[in-house]
């Protein structure tokens, strides 16, 4: 047996998502039956101080001698030992941070949403390609075994028959607070970019990725209720018409009421499939059989999938394999789909008049 | 105890819906604890032959001597014994049939959807008012005790707290057939007018009728996938922004996949409320309690409501009481709300380019 490929990560930022990702990197790959790749955290940077990066190592339970700690992102991306940078800042900063890392010659896995708008995403892709560097938006949900099994059942096995309609929702109840990240336009706030991307991702996973859709972009219609506090999108509903397959998707998000029960409903002519909370970290699905009139027969099958950790390691494994194989893109989470998703979110925001301050939306020339 | 008011009905058309309504008229009011009004079917007309009207009486189990039978609607509306006409033709004919009855001096209860477009509805209302005749769209769902209890709980008792989002759906699985009423533009086909009106009615009942909405019309955004067979709307989703209350409604309909599980979901900040199938004839609801983070506590309360018949008698009782009291309109199903509903459906159809032949959309000058 050949030894596993070791992927050497630099962690850019030290907040909650960075902690979660880093803990998953430290999880023994054998607990998820992975033996071909392994992860090392070789450096961590806080934008404020190296001691904060050091505290981060303590928090995630990593030995301090294992990783260098930096008080600036510039130092991190200059570290020659780092293969790939994980960008874990608020999404208002993803564009600048990713650009910094790519320009320093690093591969990048950047948290979702990729950037604030599609122009920024397209610019990052151009820079990555010019520099021949791997780039991926960390849409971790796409990499869960349960999601891949749903895709196999729906697209290959055709377990639901012909899929006609998909509902997807991600709503969370946040206390109205103009200073909170989600309410703050200066941080790219609003439900859509932060939560709505998951509702949209399920539409991409199910209806866009349907082989019969042949990668045809959906026609998008949307409506937004803006927050009375700060004007960011508070309730957003998107209707996606996939004209190649004749299927309609309804993706909803909001930051005021939490999703109820199921967060995804896939309706086919033979069966329906539901996914219960959480939309970002699915652990099971149920298939509901239907009779010739479309009425549930009462015959259901639920399948649960164990997640030996938080579940971000699967996307990390995909990055490691791409680096090992010299690939610059991961097909499970293609740059084309990230761009399309950003374009849809652009359209939804612009149609509703929900824009961010110029410096947040800017693209370097 | 005073004797009940006797309401004398003329049944215009002899199809399935006429049968169902007529059977409900024959149901003993005491089974639904009603003693102030009673119903008589005094005449029935088929547009093709009196014998068909006669067969209708046999089918519904009415004694033949009790009602006159006619082979034309003109004869029916001229019958001096008839108080009120129940219009039970396909909706492409509602406008002409109701106009005929109103012009003959009859009160009218007309099946839903009222007409093909709002201009026709507005014209009927003008004629009814000019002639001082009672007019109502038979949106029977509004009159169910279970619906009135839901409204009381949501609007008066505030059992859900502040209502933030409502989903409503009515989908049925019809075999694609260009000759079927639902696929036929000549009969005002498509999902919206036939099925979608129920999804929309739930939005009206819950979000429009919220006292805090103060009868403010919603902002409507919609999207349609047209039938490849005949171009009528096959999948229609409407997003209704109620800006006065900040609540968003999502109403969906289609004629290809049946609604799944619950057909209505009302989300408040304290609790959610779900209504299971059928959207037109609800028999129960469940309240799902939530904690401070909006997560279901697992404490649910389901209430079932017995329907001693098909359930169309409650709207008939309301018509009878209006006639008894000399009212020309029934507030439970106001002409203003019928007009608004038709205007919303107009906008949805016109935005999608789903119009019917000119003679179907026409309004008499």
């Amino acid at each position: 047996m050949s030894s596993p490929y070791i992927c050497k990560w630099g962690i850019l930022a030290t907040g909650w998502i960075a902690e979660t990702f880093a803990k998953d990197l430290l999880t023994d790959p054998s607990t998820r039956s992975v033996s071909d790749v392994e992860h090392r955290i070789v450096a961590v940077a806080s934008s404020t101080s190296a001691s904060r990066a050091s505290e981060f190592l303590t928090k995630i339970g990593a030995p301090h001698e294992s990783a260098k700690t930096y008080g600036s992102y510039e130092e991190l991306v200059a570290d020659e030992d780092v293969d790939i940078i994980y960008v874990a800042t608020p999404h208002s900063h993803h564009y600048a941070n990713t650009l910094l890392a790519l320009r320093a010659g690093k591969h990048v896995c950047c948290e979702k949403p990729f950037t604030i708008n599609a122009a920024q995403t397209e610019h990052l892709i151009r820079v990555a390609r010019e520099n021949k560097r791997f780039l991926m938006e960390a849409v971790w949900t796409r990499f869960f075994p349960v999601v891949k099994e749903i895709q196999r059942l729906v697209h290959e096995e055709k377990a639901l028959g012909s899929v006609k309609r998909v509902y997807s929702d991600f709503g969370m109840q946040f206390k109205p607070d103009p200073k909170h990240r989600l309410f703050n336009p200066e941080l790219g706030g609003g439900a859509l970019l932060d939560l709505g991307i998951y509702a949209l991702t399920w539409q991409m996973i199910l209806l866009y990725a349907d082989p019969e859709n042949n990668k045809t972009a959906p026609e998008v219609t949307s409506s937004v209720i803006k927050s009375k506090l700060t004007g960011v999108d508070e309730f957003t509903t998107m209707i996606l018409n996939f004209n190649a397959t004749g299927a309609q998707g309804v993706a909803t998000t909001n930051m005021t009421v939490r999703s109820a029960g199921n967060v995804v409903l896939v309706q086919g002519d033979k069966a329906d499939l539901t996914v219960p909370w959480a939309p970002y970290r699915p652990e099971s699905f149920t298939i509901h059989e239907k009779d010739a009139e479309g009425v549930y027969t009462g015959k259901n099958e639920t399948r649960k999938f164990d997640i030996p950790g938080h579940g971000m390691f699967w996307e990390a494994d995909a990055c490691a394999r791409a680096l090992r194989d010299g690939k610059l893109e991961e097909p499970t989470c293609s740059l084309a789909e990230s761009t399309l998703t950003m374009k849809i979110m652009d359209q939804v925001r612009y149609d509703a008049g929900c824009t961010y301050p110029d410096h947040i939306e800017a693209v370097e020339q």
Side-chain angles (χ1 to χ4, degrees), chain A:
Chain A
M1 209 176 102
S2 61
S3 42
Y5 173 82
I6 310 288
C7 186
K8 293 181 284 176
W9 291 87
I11 310 294
L12 190 151
T14 55
W16 173 85
I17 192 80
E19 256 183 55
T20 310
F21 186 83
K23 279 183 192 161
D24 269 3
L25 289 183
L26 298 177
T27 303
D28 181 352
S30 71
T31 60
R32 57 184 181 275
S33 307
V34 164
S35 58
D36 61 332
V37 293
E38 279 182 17
H39 304 282
R40 300 277 183 279
I41 298 169
V42 297
V44 179
S46 154
S47 61
T48 46
S49 69
S51 64
R52 209 150 161 172
S54 189
E55 284 162 28
F56 177 87
L57 289 176
T58 307
K59 268 191 197 165
I60 63 168
H64 281 246
E65 61 280 12
S66 69
K68 276 167 277 182
T69 52
Y70 297 114
S72 81
Y73 300 154
E74 286 75 12
E75 290 170 277
L76 176 75
V77 301
D79 186 324
E80 290 196 352
D81 205 29
V82 169
D83 292 326
I84 182 167
I85 297 285
Y86 171 64
V87 173
T89 48
H91 54 258
S92 47
H93 295 64
H94 286 177
Y95 169 68
N97 301 148
T98 299
L99 199 56
L100 179 78
L102 289 172
R103 287 253 161 87
K106 298 303 182 198
H107 303 296
V108 178
C109 172
C110 173
E111 257 315 314
K112 38 91 348 228
F114 217 160
T115 54
I116 287 294
N117 55 41
Q120 291 180 347
T121 290
E122 286 173 324
H123 188 238
L124 292 181
I125 295 171
R126 267 197 306 278
V127 174
R129 287 190 174 145
E130 278 165 18
N131 291 279
K132 295 196 170 48
R133 286 298 168 267
F134 174 81
L135 177 62
M136 192 182 89
E137 184 186 10
V139 191
W140 63 313
T141 311
R142 289 178 171 272
F143 296 90
F144 281 80
V146 62
V147 171
K148 296 197 169 189
E149 176 61 6
I150 290 170
Q151 284 189 298
R152 192 193 66 77
L153 282 167
V154 172
H155 296 151
E156 292 171 36
E157 200 173 298
K158 302 271 181 202
L160 311 184
S162 176
V163 171
K164 295 301 186 182
R165 195 164 54 171
V166 171
Y167 292 92
S168 56
D169 180 47
F170 186 17
M172 290 269 283
Q173 185 173 320
F174 289 92
K175 258 200 199 120
D177 173 4
K179 284 179 196 152
H180 186 284
R181 179 176 58 83
L182 231 67
F183 286 87
N184 190 347
E186 286 284 340
L187 294 174
L192 179 64
L193 286 185
D194 217 279
L195 314 176
I197 191 171
Y198 287 106
L200 206 46
T201 293
W202 280 101
Q203 299 289 335
M204 297 295 286
I205 285 170
L206 289 159
L207 293 180
Y208 179 78
D210 183 336
E212 286 170 37
N213 181 57
N214 205 18
K215 302 195 177 179
T216 314
E219 244 180 64
V220 180
T221 309
S222 63
S223 181
V224 165
I225 294 185
K226 295 185 194 183
S227 159
K228 277 177 187 155
L229 266 190
T230 61
V232 300
D233 75 289
E234 183 172 350
F235 287 87
T236 295
T237 294
M238 295 169 269
I239 314 169
L240 296 95
N241 289 350
F242 289 87
N243 292 315
T245 52
Q248 193 170 63
V250 181
T252 55
T253 188
N254 85 92
M255 48 207 238
T256 299
V257 282
R258 185 176 151 116
S259 302
N262 292 319
V263 291
V264 182
L265 166 64
V266 192
Q267 298 186 282
D269 52 14
K270 283 189 190 158
D272 285 1
L273 183 148
T274 51
V275 181
W277 183 274
Y280 48 82
R281 190 177 179 273
E283 291 176 279
S284 72
F285 63 83
T286 299
I287 291 181
H288 311 258
E289 192 191 73
K290 302 201 278 195
D291 68 15
E293 270 76 50
V295 183
Y296 288 167
T297 62
K299 203 176 149 190
N300 299 330
E301 193 201 339
T302 298
R303 286 181 56 193
K304 291 188 193 298
F305 284 70
D306 188 39
I307 304 174
H310 196 66
M312 303 184 86
F313 31 65
W314 285 303
E315 66 181 352
D317 293 345
C319 291
R321 289 184 192 115
L323 264 51
R324 176 193 66 191
D325 301 341
K327 284 192 203 162
L328 300 181
E329 193 169 345
E330 165 54 49
T332 303
C333 192
S334 74
L335 294 168
E337 282 194 60
S338 285
T339 306
L340 178 56
T341 304
M342 288 307 310
K343 280 186 175 169
I344 292 171
M345 297 201 293
D346 277 5
Q347 186 191 326
V348 171
R349 280 199 302 121
Y350 300 162
D351 284 353
C354 287
T355 53
Y356 299 116
D358 284 351
H359 66 279
I360 304 290
E361 301 255 12
V363 182
E364 183 196 78
Q365 291 312 312

